[in-house]
């Protein structure tokens, strides 16, 4: 069974993938991004190539290089680097899982395939098992995000007996608003040392999130906000997402200043996840 040097806990930053104005990945600022998270935010665990990182909008070669850059730049600075390796193709997921192990990542995570979807728990578990087996030394996390995958199998059901099928299973990244499902996942697995990452942006920094949700909030807007609060150019998202409007950016900046987040540098990353 996979046994990380310590349990994944505390805050885990779902990293943005910085891009140039032409839609190419801006690898040159990832080192600065690591330092910002560690020194200014006190965050030492990251989740790479997930939804916030536009992982499914990147090519396989880009995903490999992004993972390499975070692992390399985070060495001796970050505690744990978890790489999302989910893909529509089982072979691509396995390739990314193997690569994560080769470069020294601390764990891998996988979403449910969302074009040809698993129709029940057993089918989903079989898919996850095959990916996990490609990196048998790495802790494995299931990334539950039904609003985007369309796979409505409850996380509680997926976790029931999962470690018997996937010995490396170590936890769940839960990105859904069904708090009953999340609560049951935690309650029914108290005896196991699973990590539970809760990642729904709307439940963080309420005053600001309540404001920006009304303006329209997603990956594009997250990149704009992080550029404001970190001073690191995150760039636009990749198509089909559109760049945040100037109106949004101006309104967000004004709101941040009114809350003293910019002047006091007191805003925590809007994509931090609490992990128990």
């Amino acid at each position: 069974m996979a046994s990380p040097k310590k349990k994944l806990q505390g805050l885990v930053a779902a990293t943005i993938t910085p891009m140039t104005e032409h839609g190419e990945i801006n690898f040159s600022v990832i080192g600065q991004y690591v330092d910002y998270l560690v020194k200014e935010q006190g965050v030492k665990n990251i989740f790479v190539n997930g939804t916030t990182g536009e992982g499914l909008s990147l090519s396989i070669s880009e995903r490999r290089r992004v993972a390499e850059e975070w692992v390399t730049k985070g060495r001796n600075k970050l505690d744990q680097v978890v790489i999302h390796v989910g893909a529509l193709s089982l072979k691509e997921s396995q390739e990314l899982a193997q690569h994560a192990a080769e470069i020294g990542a601390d764990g891998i995570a996988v979403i449910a395939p969302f074009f040809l979807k698993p129709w029940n728990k057993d089918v989903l578990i079989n898919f996850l098992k095959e990916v996990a087996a490609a990196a048998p030394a790495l802790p494995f996390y299931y990334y539950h995000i039904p609003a985007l995958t369309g796979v409505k199998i409850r996380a509680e059901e997926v976790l029931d007996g999962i470690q018997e099928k996937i010995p490396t299973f170590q936890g769940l990244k839960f990105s859904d608003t069904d708090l009953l499902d999340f609560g049951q996942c935690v309650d029914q697995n108290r005896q196991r040392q699973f990590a539970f990452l809760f990642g729904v942006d709307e439940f963080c920094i309420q005053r600001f999130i309540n404001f920006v949700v009304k303006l329209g909030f997603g990956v594009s807007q997250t990149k704009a906000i992080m550029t404001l609060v970190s001073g690191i150019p995150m760039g636009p998202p990749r198509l089909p997402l559109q760049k945040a409007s100037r109106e949004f950016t101006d309104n967000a900046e004004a709101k941040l200043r009114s809350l003293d987040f910019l002047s006091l540098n007191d805003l925590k990353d809007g994509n931090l996840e609490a992990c128990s």
Side-chain angles (χ1 to χ4, degrees):
M1 183 180 297
S3 54
K5 50 191 174 183
K6 62 180 179 179
K7 179 183 174 182
L8 182 62
Q9 59 186 351
L11 294 177
V12 182
T15 59
I16 290 167
T17 299
M19 293 188 182
T20 69
E21 290 300 320
H22 301 291
E24 299 299 322
I25 298 173
N26 187 1
F27 294 100
S28 67
V29 301
I30 290 180
Q32 182 184 356
Y33 195 172
V34 170
D35 289 340
Y36 169 77
L37 291 174
V38 173
K39 296 177 181 179
E40 297 191 36
Q41 302 297 337
V43 177
K44 292 191 173 184
N45 304 302
I46 61 172
F47 186 89
V48 177
N49 285 339
T51 304
T52 302
E54 302 174 80
L56 274 298
S57 293
L58 308 180
S59 69
I60 295 300
S61 62
E62 286 177 322
R63 291 176 71 174
R64 287 167 61 104
R65 189 174 171 197
V66 168
E68 291 168 6
E69 197 71 14
W70 278 104
V71 169
T72 299
K73 293 297 192 296
R75 191 163 289 127
N76 300 321
K77 296 180 179 180
L78 296 170
D79 288 341
Q80 295 205 37
V81 179
V82 177
I83 308 296
H84 172 240
V85 300
L88 297 181
S89 161
L90 173 61
K91 294 298 183 182
E92 289 184 347
S93 276
Q94 290 173 320
E95 175 189 335
L96 290 168
Q98 291 171 346
H99 176 258
E102 290 167 0
I103 64 176
D106 299 289
I108 56 173
V110 176
I111 59 170
F114 54 88
F115 184 68
L116 299 177
K117 300 179 178 67
W119 60 89
N120 61 32
K121 167 189 170 178
D122 291 337
V123 175
L124 174 57
I125 292 292
N126 285 339
F127 180 88
L128 300 177
K129 178 181 177 180
E130 292 296 319
V131 180
L138 286 186
F140 180 88
Y141 303 89
Y142 172 52
Y143 182 6
H144 180 68
I145 184 165
L148 291 185
T149 64
V151 175
K152 304 298 184 181
I153 304 167
R154 289 172 62 82
E156 172 201 1
E157 184 181 354
V158 176
L159 264 58
D160 184 23
I162 191 172
Q163 217 167 34
E164 297 171 8
K165 300 289 184 65
I166 306 175
T168 54
F169 181 80
Q170 291 291 311
L172 169 74
K173 175 173 157 56
F174 189 92
S175 296
D176 190 24
T177 56
D178 186 347
L179 297 184
L180 176 60
D181 188 19
F182 182 69
Q184 289 176 328
C185 287
V186 175
D187 185 62
Q188 295 179 17
N189 293 279
R190 289 189 183 278
Q191 303 306 313
R192 300 177 176 88
Q193 293 299 307
F194 292 161
F196 293 99
L197 291 77
F198 182 74
V200 179
D201 293 341
E202 288 78 359
F203 287 88
C204 306
I205 51 175
Q206 286 290 341
R207 284 182 298 167
F208 181 64
I209 293 297
N210 287 340
F211 175 77
V212 295
V213 163
K214 295 175 183 177
L215 300 178
F217 188 61
V219 172
S220 308
Q221 291 73 25
T222 298
K223 297 187 93 165
I225 291 167
M226 278 297 291
T227 297
L228 286 173
V229 299
S230 69
I232 302 169
M234 297 298 176
R238 182 167 287 180
L239 291 170
L241 298 180
Q242 300 291 312
K243 184 177 182 179
S245 68
R246 170 53 61 185
E247 179 184 10
F248 174 90
T249 304
D250 290 345
N251 287 334
E253 181 175 5
K255 186 64 173 180
L256 287 167
R257 293 193 184 283
S258 75
L259 296 173
D260 290 330
F261 282 144
L262 287 182
S263 60
L264 296 180
N265 193 27
D266 200 28
L267 178 66
K268 294 296 183 183
D269 186 344
N271 287 279
L272 293 179
E273 300 167 324
C275 180
S276 60

